[in-house]
Amino acid sequence: AAAATALAWSLELPTSWLHCSRQRLRRELVRRRRIATRATEEPSESWPPIETYGVGGAALSEPSRLWARGEVAESMWRRLSLGVAGGRPRVDDPPVWTVEGFVSELEVCRLSDLAMFEPQRLRSLRQAAALPWDDPCVVDLRRRVASIFGVDESFVEPPRIVRYSRPGDTFELHVDWIVDGSDSQLELLGQRVATALVYLTDVPIGVGGATEFPRLGVSVVPSAGMALLWPNVARSGMPLESTQHVALPLSREGVTKIAANVWVRDRPLPTD
């Protein structure tokens, strides 16, 4: 049971999903524990840049294990290109949208209350928390995200909460797609093709905390209930370097930023 729990934490999935896959994921667990240790001791190195794995530029141009399933990517892009109800386009290519009121005030409170923050990460530059995947509010959020991106609900990961609460708290420049071609979760879970970042708190302008995409020239200030939506791969399934983004450091005491990450894979997730 302890091993299954550790594996679930390492891949950010419910324990029950990984019960039958312990052996094949042991190496991944060791690798992620090393990353988690660095995140505690040396936060600036907690998320390796994509260059660490030799990906980017020409290395991404040829189909590889990093590429998502093309039919899923194409369907998702088609859906986003048709427009998002109540949404505001922020970038045309790739299509980046914000949607005010994506979750209600009641849902904001419920999701925040459900967060189970992990003690081992409390000293890092952000605090992560799991959500009970079978709670009705969580189930509805996953269903809503699936509809936005035009995929079945089974493709949507359980949401993860992230909290920034101290000056300097940040999430360094990174991408949400899996960057390591040897990562065993690619075979089991597939590539992350899209992200819905749902803000659960307001952050005042001028105190940091915005989500910024340097290559796309867009910066979004969190507003409670708003969702920020974007694809992580091109229509072909090729991972997009342009989706590199950063959670800008908070610069003022007394400001808390909380958000829910909801990631979409290119295939149904295991259920046993």
Side-chain angles (χ1 to χ4, degrees), residues 8 12 54 121 225 231 237:
E12 303 180 345
R121 297 190 180 186

Side-chain angles (χ1 to χ4, degrees), residues 39 42-47 121 123-128 162-174 207-212 245-252 255 257 261:
E42 302 176 59
S44 64
E45 297 180 10
S46 63
W47 193 274
R121 297 190 180 186
R123 288 169 47 209
S124 68
L125 295 180
R126 57 193 172 273
Q127 298 85 50
V162 61
R163 178 177 65 190
Y164 309 81
S165 57
R166 299 159 298 192
D169 277 6
T170 184
F171 201 146
E172 307 85 349
L173 190 66
H174 65 285
V207 300
T211 304
E212 184 170 281
H245 55 286
V246 59
L248 295 179
L250 294 177
S251 60
R252 182 190 298 174
V255 175
K257 171 188 172 183
N261 283 297

Side-chain angles (χ1 to χ4, degrees), residues 111-160:
L111 291 168
S112 299
D113 289 344
L114 287 170
M116 299 173 287
F117 288 98
E118 297 161 351
Q120 67 267 39
R121 297 190 180 186
L122 291 180
R123 288 169 47 209
S124 68
L125 295 180
R126 57 193 172 273
Q127 298 85 50
L131 291 176
W133 66 274
D134 55 350
D135 182 90
C137 186
V138 177
V139 171
D140 189 60
L141 176 57
R142 291 180 65 221
R143 185 178 299 121
R144 216 172 301 169
V145 169
S147 176
I148 284 282
F149 289 113
V151 299
D152 188 82
E153 185 183 341
S154 62
F155 287 51
V156 181
E157 294 185 42
R160 295 279 296 178

Side-chain angles (χ1 to χ4, degrees), residues 28-66:
E28 181 66 13
L29 173 60
V30 171
R31 186 181 74 83
R32 295 201 174 199
R33 277 178 172 167
R34 288 172 180 166
I35 291 176
T37 299
R38 289 203 307 271
T40 299
E41 297 175 352
E42 302 176 59
S44 64
E45 297 180 10
S46 63
W47 193 274
I50 59 177
E51 291 78 15
T52 298
Y53 297 102
V55 300
L60 280 179
S61 62
E62 295 296 327
S64 69
R65 292 186 73 233
L66 293 177

